[in-house]
Amino acid sequence: MVDTSAAGDDASRRLKANVAEAILRALADDDRIALVSLDVEPRVLYPEKGLAEAKDEQIAQALEAMASQPAGGAR
């Protein structure tokens, strides 16, 4: 889960993204992931349904989904 609320500045947002990436990249290939954004309410960013394998391609897609989120703004 990543805090995507309007609280904080660009440096804080980058730090949160870096922490999420480090956690995802530390997982084993046989682990499963889901990336959730938390603003006013939680929202699944990746995958659309269920859980994804924690392999490089899926992690890259999860990070891309996170990067595409606007900075702040209640959702």
Side-chain angles (χ1 to χ4, degrees), residues 10-68:
D10 286 339
S12 174
R13 184 173 167 90
R14 281 191 307 273
L15 178 61
K16 292 171 189 175
N18 289 343
V19 168
E21 180 174 5
I23 291 168
L24 290 171
R25 297 213 182 272
L27 297 172
D29 283 351
D30 59 344
D31 287 330
R32 300 284 184 256
I33 63 168
L35 186 61
V36 178
S37 154
L38 182 60
D39 193 335
V40 172
E41 61 184 43
R43 187 167 61 93
V44 176
L45 299 177
Y46 183 85
E48 288 185 29
K49 288 185 174 183
L51 299 173
E53 295 178 316
K55 294 186 177 180
D56 288 338
E57 183 179 340
Q58 287 78 11
I59 290 172
Q61 291 174 5
L63 295 173
E64 186 177 314
M66 181 176 59
S68 71

